[in-house]
Amino acid sequence: MSRRRQIYEGKAKVLFAGPEPGTLVQHFKDETTAFNNRKRGTITGKGVLNNRISEYLMLKLSDIGIPTHLVRRLNMREQLVRELEMIPLAVVVRNVAAGSLSARLGIPEGTQLPRSIIEYHFKKEGLDDPLVCEEHITAFGWASTRDLDEIVQISLRVNDFLTGLFLGLNIRLIDFKLEFGRLYTDDEMRIVIADEISPDSCRLWDAQTNEKLDKDRFREDLGRVEEGYQEVARRLGILPEGGPGDLPAPTTMQ
Ligand code: ADP
Ligand code: TMP
Ligand code: ASP
């Protein structure tokens, strides 16, 4: 790891220069933060599980034609991705009220929303990722109206697909966050899903008991935080008997 050029260290991941131009290595850490760094901790094994869960979900999205940055998982904590020109937005899709929506609008946690809602948060260190609207995004040039049309279309497809996938595992997809970037190839520009899709970036509740299986266990001090991540991996069929130390070999994406 020491011979590679570190490009960036964030709250949950480190980015290194990849082996070829236009690629990056995403290294998943066990360190975690919530409420934009106001709460910090370590969730043992989280990096290994998120690497594997995000790989699994992005490969599934790729199977149905949704473009993602993933090239392939490299090892337990790392994956090779395409380097993108990032759009500085956290795009949140909500099906059920929770988290900041409940806090901001006083809608009790667990209330089914009349329809899926998409929100944009401006990713900016020190500003607590504030909620922004389309006018801010286009006026300040973070994304064009065309980019946003594409982002909404992809986000809703991902929501439909992941809602079904998780429901098949007895899990309710309450909400989730996506990040997007631009991939330039010859004359073409494509909007591509970046970052990760994992229990750090999704709210996942057991469909029968509403038990939380995601980062809210850390945010809300619910205890047995690691077990939430392990349970999601187990239901996805990617947590072998031996635990996170014993994961299958990497798979390659076209
Ligand atoms: P944060 O920056 O919010 O603390 P992380 O610790 O997860 O988050 O760091 C990962 C960083 O890498 C994020 O800032 C994310 O926007 C960025 N990123 C994710 N995928 C790509 C990609 N394919 N190309 C360039 N940057 C990416
Ligand atoms: P929120 O209720 O805190 O706004 O979060 C909504 C969902 O999006 C939740 O699953 C957590 C995820 N999320 C992130 O992972 N990172 C972010 O920066 C934001 C704003 C949300
Ligand atoms: N991703 C943000 C943080 O790490 C917000 C959160 O997850 O609560 O602080």
Side-chain angles (χ1 to χ4, degrees):
M1 221 161 81
S2 53
R3 275 181 284 112
R4 288 183 307 189
R5 187 162 59 91
Q6 184 174 313
I7 307 266
Y8 173 83
E9 173 152 16
K11 297 185 287 286
K13 297 190 286 299
V14 185
L15 300 180
F16 296 96
E20 299 134 34
T23 63
L24 295 172
V25 174
Q26 269 206 137
H27 176 100
F28 288 71
K29 303 191 283 184
D30 285 351
E31 281 85 45
T32 193
T33 69
F35 314 115
N36 288 302
N37 261 332
R38 282 189 290 278
K39 184 175 168 124
R40 291 166 197 241
T42 298
I43 304 172
T44 308
K46 172 183 80 102
V48 172
L49 292 167
N50 280 356
N51 183 26
R52 188 71 183 85
I53 292 170
S54 194
E55 175 207 23
Y56 180 89
L57 296 176
M58 290 213 186
L59 285 174
K60 289 280 176 203
L61 293 177
S62 167
D63 282 348
I64 60 160
I66 297 177
T68 83
H69 70 160
L70 181 71
V71 180
R72 66 177 177 277
R73 184 163 62 85
L74 295 171
N75 56 48
M76 300 285 285
R77 284 187 184 270
E78 295 179 336
Q79 48 184 244
L80 185 67
V81 301
R82 292 191 180 86
E83 183 171 20
L84 304 177
E85 177 185 283
M86 292 300 290
I87 295 170
L89 297 174
V91 177
V92 173
V93 183
R94 300 180 185 272
N95 300 308
V96 174
S100 70
L101 180 93
S102 292
R104 207 171 36 246
L105 303 182
I107 301 172
E109 181 182 83
T111 307
Q112 185 71 47
L113 298 173
R115 61 180 174 83
S116 302
I117 290 173
I118 297 188
E119 280 176 4
Y120 308 107
H121 295 253
F122 179 41
K123 265 183 73 90
K124 184 81 179 170
E125 215 55 52
L127 288 184
D128 278 4
D129 294 352
L131 188 66
V132 290
C133 64
E134 191 167 338
E135 281 289 283
H136 297 121
I137 296 167
T138 53
F140 298 125
W142 301 327
S144 67
T145 305
R146 248 178 98 178
D147 294 339
L148 283 179
D149 286 348
E150 183 78 10
I151 285 171
V152 168
Q153 210 182 38
I154 296 176
S155 300
L156 292 176
R157 273 190 82 197
V158 171
N159 187 41
D160 283 348
F161 181 77
L162 290 186
T163 295
L165 183 148
F166 280 119
L167 216 47
L169 307 171
N170 221 10
I171 290 175
R172 294 171 74 196
L173 179 61
I174 303 301
D175 59 34
F176 62 97
K177 182 253 334 183
L178 294 175
E179 292 187 28
F180 293 89
R182 300 185 188 89
L183 181 66
Y184 295 92
T185 47
D186 301 326
D187 295 340
E188 215 193 35
M189 186 279 283
R190 283 209 303 172
I191 300 281
V192 171
I193 294 180
D195 205 58
E196 71 183 289
I197 308 176
S198 73
D200 268 9
S201 60
C202 303
R203 285 196 173 91
L204 302 166
W205 295 1
D206 179 90
Q208 252 65 55
T209 65
N210 284 337
E211 184 189 5
K212 294 176 179 176
L213 303 173
D214 55 66
K215 189 173 159 185
D216 270 351
R217 285 166 91 127
F218 170 75
R219 294 190 189 96
E220 298 172 5
D221 294 319
L222 300 178
R224 296 184 299 113
V225 179
E226 293 83 0
E227 286 174 37
Y229 291 77
Q230 282 168 17
E231 181 59 16
V232 172
R234 193 188 64 75
R235 292 195 199 183
L236 288 169
I238 54 178
L239 181 72
E241 293 298 308
D246 194 20
L247 292 165
T251 48
T252 310
M253 204 182 90
Q254 295 304 309

